[in-house]
Every structure is written in C-alpha cells, then in structure tokens.
Amino acid sequence: MIKKSRFGQLLLKKEVIDKKTLEKALSIQTDEDPENTRALGEILVTDFKINHHAIYGLLAELYAFRTLEIKINEIDENQIKHTKEILSKFPDDFKNKLIYKKILPYQLSYGRRNTLIVLAADPSEKITERIPIYTEFKKYEVVYVRLDILEELIALIAPQKNEFLDLLQEAEDQFEDVDETRGQHDVDEYALDEEINKSLLVNLFEGSLIEAVRKGASDIHIIPYLRSNVDFYFRIDGKLIRWHRQENTSPEAMSAVAKDRATGVDRFERDTAQDGFMQRIIDDHLIRFRVSIIPITSSEYERRFESIVIRTIDDRNVITDLRKLGFQEQAEKDFIDSISKSKGIVLVTGPTGSGKSTTLMAALYHTIDPSINVLTCEDPVEYHIKGARQLKIGHRYTFENAIRSILRHDPDVVMVGEIRDRITAEIAIKLANTGHLTFSTLHTNDAPSAISRLYKMGVETFLLAYAINIIVAQRLVRKLCPECRKPIAKDKWPAALELGFKEEELESGKIYEAGKGCKKCNRGYKGRINICEALYFTAEIRKAIVDSGTEIDEQNIRKIAESQGMLSLLESGLDRIRTGLTTVAEVTYATSED
C-alpha cells in the first residue's frame, strides 16, 4: 500500500512521518466511504496532528505549486480594499465555503489575460475548480500559503461571523430592566418565556457555543451575577476568562434557555443537579457538548439560581500521535516501551484537568490495529475512538457491571477510565496478569504514591510489582507565547532561585516570563504542555516494591527511578523553563502541592 502512495513515499524520505504512522493513515483512508474519502494529507493533519506546514508545504513542492511568503504587518490598505472588492464578486455561499476551506481569492495579476491569484493552505483542494463556474474569473492560479499566515490574513480581511451574536447586537435596544420583585419560590414561567423572547437570549446562548469552539475553550461557565446579570466565562488553556456579561437579564431566564436547548434535563427542576447533552454543527464540524447544572445559593435566598457548566467535546482536538504529547526524551521512550508490550498496566495519574485522558487517547491510537480487540469503559464516554469498542454505561448497565463483563469479551487492549476502588483495581490487575494491555487513570499527586494508593486499596505488593508497566504522573502548564515573551524581571529572581535556578542562568536572559499579550496569544500564553514524571517498572523497581513489606517505601522507589533517568515533576518543569516553553510562576503553581 505504501509503495502506491507517491506522496507517502516523499513524506517518509523527508522524515516528516514514520512508516507505522503512514501505514495507519493509509489504512484509515482505505476504510473510509469510497465516495467521501479524505486525502492522505488531511488524515495526517486531522487524525495524527502532524504539523500542517510540514505536510502541505511538501505537497506544494511535489505538485509544483508556487509558494508565497506574506508578512501580515506589511499589508497596506490598498491590498485589503482590493481583496474585499474581489470577494464581493463571489456568491456568499460559495465565498463562505472557500473561506472555511482556508482559501482566499487574493489579488488580480494583470496581463494579456487577467489571472486571479488564489491563496490556499491546501493547494490540492478541489473546490477551487468551481471558481470559473460561479464567478467572472475564468483564469486563476492557486498559490500555497502557510495555514497560520492565511488564518491571520482571513481574520484581517474576511473574519468569520457569528450570526447569533450579530442578531443580538442588532437587538441590544430591546433589553429592558427585569422585574426585580420576581423570583420567589414559584417562578413565573410565562414571564420567563416573555423575557427570553424579548431579549433574544437564545441567540446569546447559541452564539456562546460557537465562540467557545472557535476560541478553543474547553468549558463554558454560565453564572448568575447579582440580581439581574449573567456572566459567561470561557476556560481557555486551563484558566477561566470572562467572555461576556449579560445585563438586565434574570439568571432564571438564562438557565431556562440552556435547559430548553439541552437533551436530558428538566427545565422545571431547580432543586437538584442535572446532566444533559447537546450537539451542534459549527464550521462544518459536529461538536458535542456535555451540560452540568447545579442549584446554588445567593444572598437573595428567595431566588432559584443555578450554575451551568458546558464542556465542549471537539474530536478535532484529540491527539492521535504520541509525539504531539510533548513528553521529554526519557519519558517518551519509557512510555512507548510500556504501551508496546502485549500485557501490563499503563497508569496515568494527576488531578482533574491534568491531561490524563488526552495521554491515554494518544496511547490507544498508537496501539489500535484491526487485528486486536480494543475495549474501553468510561463514564461518561466523551470522544469516539475509531477502531475501539466503547461500552455504553447507563442506569441498567453500570460502570461496575461493564468492567466485569469486559473479562468475558475476549479483549486484547482495555481502557478502564478510572481505578476507583478495590473492585476496579483488582479487575485491572487481573486483566494485566492474564495477558491484556490495560490503560487507566488514578488521582494521586505523583508516581510513587500511586503504588501506595493501590496497596491501600488491597492489592498485594507482588501483584503490583509484576502487573504494572509504567506510572506517569503529569500536570499541564501554559506555554509562553514566543512572540511576546520577555526575560524574567529581576524582582522575580528570588522565586526562580528558590525553585533551583542559578544566578548565571537568570543573567543569561534565557529564562522567560509572560509578556503583556499580543494578537497571537492570550495574555502572554498560547496552548499548554505537560510536565511529568514517568516511573518505568524496571527489575530494581519491582524488587523494591516486593521488598516493601507492610509499608510502601515511596522515597526509596523514587530514589531508584531518578538514578535510572526519571525526571521528577519539578525537574521536568525546570527543563520546560530552560527551553523557553513556560514560566517559573506556572511550574511553581503546578508543583506546589508536591
């Protein structure tokens, strides 16, 4: 199959991908609907998170597309006006499809026959062939431009619109002061409906979903603020940031809108927690949302306030290539060795929001193969994993029932969402000891303490020592924006010195802190990266666990592991700082509990 792919051969030759990744990508392509098969480049970028420019820059070179370097800060008003005039000659529907595909009709090259220069992040995209059909431009040239540059250019010239928020903006004058005497224990549902219809709160709610997806928010928080205001917060890169405050609106009305738009919740139930579900097509992608609603108190005891948190589940954010996790060299090697075995437990630990599920997803995609049976047991299931059979948990089929039935379903690889108690721990151990590769998570602060936690659950040291392949304890820290980062200020040196840096390192100007923020980042940060300690179970580690007796000697296990190359969470963080990826403040915060 590989030999038939000319582009695949070139990717291997240039060492953009390895043979195993190419084989998996071609296998995915073969299994897809013949009438809707994706190109190899799209599969590698979307499913395996390979760098877009590494793929499409090479594609442009292979098929002799011209490449254009554009500096956004050097574009003048005449060029912007010229491009907008060209776009105005395109039908709106076709123009929107082009923009969505990251294709921008940019300028006319004048000559014997005027040629339209069309910028594209994927120059092989077939939609460009329709330009002569839908427009007056009969001659065109497709030119390759890097995706990040093209996205900036589109944002400058033809930004995406949020139709819900546009309608809301037009109707701002319709908002009226709400009746602050309302809100006793019997909520007036008719009055709420009247307020919802008048103030276009449905538009605000739907608009918030679109904006959250476009801004890469993991969660949306909708919270009452005082008597007649509602705050919308987005969690971006792990931090809550206020996106919008809706004034002159009763929180009860906003809660009613959210409930009406979700499945599985009762609008009229305000005294207990509820969980619901929604899905929307946003920018041509199916996005799922998990809704959590809980009743909360306020200083106005008679009001029926609720807090709403909506988790965005965007399959485009799933990391399927282990290299994209960003593990440090020794940790990555040990992790790949552990998940390449035919049996044993791979355990990822850390607090909520530390990226445990992301790591396990990448591990699963690394091992999934048509020749093996991969089962997952999660509650709830968030992401669909192609090639795995994901058990559906419900009232009649509980988490405990599911993990017991896994043993009878002839698995090769199993993911148990979380080891919660002695029952789940024993089943994970049994799976590992009967020749199954088992992935799971646990809530502990570091890797050695996970061994103690399992021992206290009732698992014998001998079973622990020989069932586990590796324990990875991880945290997520925000990545510095490379555009606006700056050397750490002298007044912050004491904190850096206390963390373990030397004065000459700080004087070098290569230890950074966040800048004020720029158009490419969020207050000096963009994205997150992990810091981790990977406790690989060598013969010495196994012996130390078996010899522990009645109390697991965590310090001795850590000492052995570090002598064999394991970085502690703090050392991992210090390495990230030294390479300019994060800050002293981020690492201090992430490791302070340790």
Side-chain angles (χ1 to χ4, degrees), residues 126 185 229 253 370 374 433 508 552:
K126 299 293 185 185
H185 291 291
N229 302 292
V374 179
N433 286 333
S508 71
I552 300 295

Side-chain angles (χ1 to χ4, degrees), residues 403-427:
I403 59 172
R404 284 192 177 97
S405 64
I406 280 174
L407 291 164
R408 302 188 294 274
H409 210 71
D410 187 31
D412 295 292
V413 178
V414 176
M415 182 172 83
V416 179
E418 181 185 350
I419 293 178
R420 304 179 175 187
D421 49 31
R422 182 173 179 170
I423 294 171
T424 50
E426 287 178 345
I427 288 175

Side-chain angles (χ1 to χ4, degrees), residues 79-143:
Q79 177 62 65
I80 294 172
K81 183 180 178 182
H82 176 60
T83 304
K84 286 182 176 180
E85 285 174 357
I86 291 171
L87 287 172
S88 69
K89 297 176 182 179
F90 280 67
D92 284 344
D93 186 51
F94 183 52
K95 177 176 66 179
N96 290 337
K97 286 179 180 177
L98 288 173
I99 297 297
Y100 168 70
K101 295 283 189 181
K102 300 297 184 284
I103 295 168
L104 181 66
Y106 185 57
Q107 65 185 21
L108 279 171
S109 176
Y110 296 101
R112 191 175 59 166
R113 290 185 64 191
N114 295 341
T115 301
L116 177 65
I117 304 300
V118 180
L119 311 183
D122 174 6
S124 64
E125 175 55 60
K126 299 293 185 185
I127 195 174
T128 56
E129 294 173 1
R130 301 183 213 165
I131 290 174
I133 299 172
Y134 291 108
T135 74
E136 65 186 59
F137 305 103
K138 304 308 176 188
K139 188 178 179 183
Y140 66 94
E141 178 192 1
V142 178
V143 176

Side-chain angles (χ1 to χ4, degrees), residues 125-328:
E125 175 55 60
K126 299 293 185 185
I127 195 174
T128 56
E129 294 173 1
R130 301 183 213 165
I131 290 174
I133 299 172
Y134 291 108
T135 74
E136 65 186 59
F137 305 103
K138 304 308 176 188
K139 188 178 179 183
Y140 66 94
E141 178 192 1
V142 178
V143 176
Y144 171 70
V145 174
R146 289 176 59 119
L147 176 63
D148 55 344
I149 299 298
L150 193 49
E151 285 179 333
E152 278 193 66
L153 196 55
I154 288 171
L156 179 67
I157 296 172
Q160 288 177 300
K161 291 187 177 181
N162 186 329
E163 61 273 23
F164 294 106
L165 296 185
D166 288 346
L167 285 170
L168 194 68
Q169 188 72 30
E170 292 171 11
E172 272 192 341
D173 58 348
Q174 295 183 30
F175 289 109
E176 300 174 1
D177 291 340
V178 297
D179 180 5
E180 296 193 356
T181 62
R182 191 199 330 140
Q184 283 72 26
H185 291 291
D186 295 322
V187 176
D188 186 338
E189 301 295 344
Y190 292 107
L192 282 187
D193 282 332
E194 185 180 349
E195 181 182 351
I196 291 166
N197 293 331
K198 271 186 178 182
S199 55
L200 297 181
L201 291 183
V202 170
N203 289 29
L204 174 61
F205 181 75
E206 292 293 336
S208 73
L209 301 182
I210 293 171
E211 288 299 294
V213 171
R214 288 179 177 171
K215 290 180 182 295
S218 61
D219 300 270
I220 307 165
H221 289 240
I222 305 174
I223 315 164
Y225 178 73
L226 301 179
R227 298 180 64 85
S228 57
N229 302 292
V230 181
D231 281 343
F232 284 71
Y233 282 83
F234 289 167
R235 187 177 291 281
I236 299 174
D237 293 338
K239 300 292 183 181
L240 283 175
I241 299 167
R242 196 177 79 187
W243 169 69
H244 177 71
R245 170 167 290 165
Q246 187 59 40
E247 299 179 342
N248 300 324
T249 297
S250 68
E252 294 92 338
M254 198 69 248
S255 295
V257 169
K259 291 177 180 178
D260 285 343
R261 309 295 288 175
T263 300
V265 297
D266 181 356
R267 168 177 170 169
F268 306 105
E269 175 57 67
R270 296 183 174 89
D271 295 318
T272 188
Q274 298 189 76
D275 293 312
F277 178 81
M278 299 183 297
Q279 56 185 34
R280 301 285 188 273
I281 300 291
I282 297 175
D283 296 334
D284 279 359
H285 286 274
L286 177 66
I287 309 294
R288 290 168 290 138
F289 299 90
R290 197 177 72 225
V291 183
S292 172
I293 304 171
I294 57 173
I296 59 174
T297 61
S298 76
S299 57
E300 302 165 73
Y301 67 91
E302 77 281 0
R303 301 292 289 270
R304 309 289 288 277
F305 286 168
E306 292 168 294
S307 170
I308 300 169
V309 174
I310 302 170
R311 166 65 53 89
T312 62
I313 302 170
D314 187 343
D315 290 314
R316 294 172 296 178
N317 296 331
V318 175
I319 294 175
T320 56
D321 183 352
L322 272 174
R323 291 176 299 176
K324 298 298 179 183
L325 290 176
F327 280 132
Q328 283 138 318

Side-chain angles (χ1 to χ4, degrees), residues 35 72 155 161 179-180 284 313 331 437 446 453 474 509 538:
E35 295 182 1
I72 301 295
K161 291 187 177 181
D179 180 5
E180 296 193 356
D284 279 359
I313 302 170
L437 183 61
D446 57 25
R453 177 70 59 84
Q474 67 178 51
T538 60

Side-chain angles (χ1 to χ4, degrees), residues 349-363:
T349 80
T352 301
S354 60
K356 299 188 296 295
S357 297
T358 300
T359 298
L360 287 187
M361 284 286 183

